[in-house]
Amino acid sequence: MSDLFEASGIHPPDAPLADRLRPTTLDEVVGQEHLLGEGGPIRRMTAAGRLGSMILWGPPGTGKTTIARLLAKAAGYEYMQISAVFSGVADLKKAFEQAKAIRASGRSVLLFVDEIHRFNRTQQDSFLPFVEAGVVTLVGATTENPSFELNGALLSRSQVYVLKRLDDAAMELLLQRAEAHMGKPLPLLHEAREALFVMADGDGRYLLTMVEVLFNLAEGEQLDVQGMSAILQKRAPAYDKSREEHYNLISALHKSVRGSDVDAALYWFARMLHGGEDPLFIARRLVRMAVEDIGEADPLSILVANAAKDTYDFLGSPEGELALAQCVVHLATAPKSIGVYAAYKAARKAAAETGSLIPPAHIRNAPTKLMKELGYGKGYNYDPDTPEGFSGDNFFPDGMPRQRFYNPKGEGHEEKVKQRMERWAQMRARIQTQKAGSAEEDDDWGRQ
């Protein structure tokens, strides 16, 4: 729930600069014009005076809490706030009872739940009856993908709005507001000002926190990038190895390799290492890329990927990371083919559909006399002994039409494979035609 300062909109003198500059109207919120600007969905909702439950999903410092508070103010709703980090079942019950009392008096209630993804499934379910009955309009804030972290039932009753990380224009506007509030310019040279945006990484609150430090510690100075860096501690990039960003970056790396963009692949590889990713996790994905996206177009890729993994195992970080980087370059610049990947999927499908068919008799082993008498192995041609090293026999089950699973497109090594397969197909067709002709002659002789 709001304290007295928050409820009144007055901030104590020692409040952080980010709080003192907190917007007082939706028009003052920066960087989220797609939601709050003219024609934006939240702007339309506010203008109509009827708020629907929503989930605000976005990076830290993009205005989720501020937007919720200002929505309640603009629509005339009573504002209540809880945090999933500090709240349990008892706190939820208390909040719902208070909301029912307010609703009974004829006032609408906006319940803002910060870090809503931290509530477990049962706790999330507890919101449903109160949302459905209109006791509260729920506004949840999360930095995690709602598809993975929130109940489907809760999502079906809410609109999900994605907040964007602040761009340079939005952060420049925040700097100008800070300078106006402090009554003096920020003590930074132009290059340092731009470097400050990079350090903030789209987080408006963190930007203003750094600005406050600079105002306090750089009185009368004009700092360059080096001087600013000496005062400010650069934070670690937003990267959680167990959350969505982990999967976003490995997906970006994989798709960059698949798209043969070696520079983008190296960038995402470096981003993951810089964020603290386990290099062996990346190594495992590189092996997968070698077999899934390259395959027979460059059969050496699987050897390169495994060698890179073994090299990292042997050297460790940071030296072993260079072997992984070399593998990234090799895979990104290699010819690509999903021929083996597609062939395996097609073969699995056919196997599932025809799983009871047995091999034709001529390619079955005949280790016993009975098996020989039953025709096992009869008529088998040992391919290396044929004139062309190719018998052209049928190896599919009797009664199953011949199928084509593997279709090399002719990239890299697969060009030679494709040529051999085409030659074998022609030879097989000729041999099978000859066998069919011989069988017809035998039938004609038998009828005479």
Side-chain angles (χ1 to χ4, degrees), residues 410-426:
E411 285 291 321
H413 174 75
E414 272 196 331
E415 182 177 2
K416 295 179 180 179
V417 174
K418 183 178 182 181
Q419 292 173 0
R420 284 198 295 269
M421 290 184 64
E422 290 173 349
R423 177 167 57 87
W424 288 334
Q426 293 171 359

Side-chain angles (χ1 to χ4, degrees), residues 66-99:
T66 297
I67 289 173
R69 183 180 290 110
L70 295 179
L71 273 176
K73 178 181 177 182
Y77 281 45
E78 188 75 17
Y79 179 76
M80 296 173 57
Q81 176 176 339
I82 59 175
S83 171
V85 177
F86 304 110
S87 303
V89 174
D91 300 293
L92 288 176
K93 289 182 178 179
K94 182 179 179 181
F96 293 142
E97 288 301 319
Q98 184 176 345

Side-chain angles (χ1 to χ4, degrees), residues 138-427:
L138 174 67
V139 178
T142 178
T143 56
E144 303 297 333
N145 190 328
S147 301
F148 302 141
E149 303 297 334
L150 299 185
N151 284 0
L154 192 60
L155 286 176
S156 70
R157 292 161 175 81
S158 310
Q159 290 291 319
V160 176
Y161 295 120
V162 181
L163 278 70
K164 299 178 180 179
R165 60 191 301 278
L166 303 189
D167 58 19
D168 287 357
M171 289 193 287
E172 175 61 33
L173 183 55
L174 288 182
L175 289 193
Q176 293 174 9
R177 290 180 182 175
E179 290 171 325
H181 178 79
M182 299 297 292
K184 56 185 176 181
L186 195 61
L188 295 178
L189 298 176
H190 178 72
E191 294 79 7
R193 196 179 183 97
E194 292 184 343
L196 188 64
F197 295 158
V198 176
M199 293 178 70
D201 196 22
D203 185 332
R205 181 172 54 243
Y206 184 60
L207 175 73
L208 293 176
T209 299
M210 291 190 292
V211 165
E212 188 169 19
V213 172
L214 291 171
F215 274 127
N216 292 336
L217 299 183
E219 188 70 33
E221 298 182 67
Q222 284 293 307
L223 301 173
D224 57 13
V225 175
Q226 186 175 1
M228 180 186 70
S229 300
I231 293 177
L232 299 176
Q233 177 65 46
K234 185 176 181 180
R235 68 174 179 179
Y239 187 80
D240 188 333
K241 291 185 284 183
S242 66
R243 298 290 184 175
E244 190 203 8
E245 196 64 17
H246 161 80
Y247 298 104
N248 284 343
L249 265 63
I250 194 64
S251 176
L253 171 59
H254 195 147
K255 290 180 173 64
S256 298
V257 168
R258 181 182 293 155
S260 300
D261 191 332
V262 62
D263 298 308
L266 282 169
Y267 169 76
W268 294 117
F269 170 70
R271 275 280 303 274
M272 295 187 77
L273 290 180
H274 186 57
E277 183 58 76
D278 179 2
L280 286 177
F281 170 79
I282 302 175
R284 286 190 291 272
R285 181 59 77 96
L286 292 175
V287 173
R288 175 183 163 188
M289 296 176 202
V291 296
E292 180 179 322
D293 298 289
I294 297 171
E296 275 297 282
D298 178 17
L300 288 177
S301 288
I302 182 63
L303 301 180
V304 171
N306 272 300
K309 182 265 295 180
D310 291 342
T311 302
Y312 180 81
D313 272 339
F314 183 61
L315 294 180
S317 292
E319 294 86 353
E321 294 166 6
L322 182 58
L324 298 179
Q326 180 180 347
C327 180
V328 169
V329 171
H330 181 93
L331 300 184
T333 56
K336 307 297 189 297
S337 172
I338 61 167
V340 175
Y341 179 66
Y344 175 59
K345 288 177 62 178
R348 282 179 61 90
K349 183 175 183 293
E353 294 171 350
T354 61
S356 61
L357 297 179
I358 61 176
H362 70 282
I363 61 172
R364 294 181 223 162
N365 284 332
T368 69
K369 182 180 179 181
L370 175 61
M371 289 178 170
K372 290 179 181 178
E373 291 174 351
L374 292 174
Y376 282 33
K378 184 179 181 180
Y380 172 65
N381 293 304
Y382 185 60
D383 288 72
D385 285 345
T386 61
E388 297 183 87
F390 181 79
S391 68
D393 283 345
N394 174 54
F395 297 102
F396 277 93
D398 293 333
M400 178 179 176
R402 179 172 188 79
Q403 298 193 37
R404 179 74 175 265
F405 300 128
Y406 181 42
N407 293 284
K409 65 177 183 177
E411 285 291 321
H413 174 75
E414 272 196 331
E415 182 177 2
K416 295 179 180 179
V417 174
K418 183 178 182 181
Q419 292 173 0
R420 284 198 295 269
M421 290 184 64
E422 290 173 349
R423 177 167 57 87
W424 288 334
Q426 293 171 359
M427 293 171 63

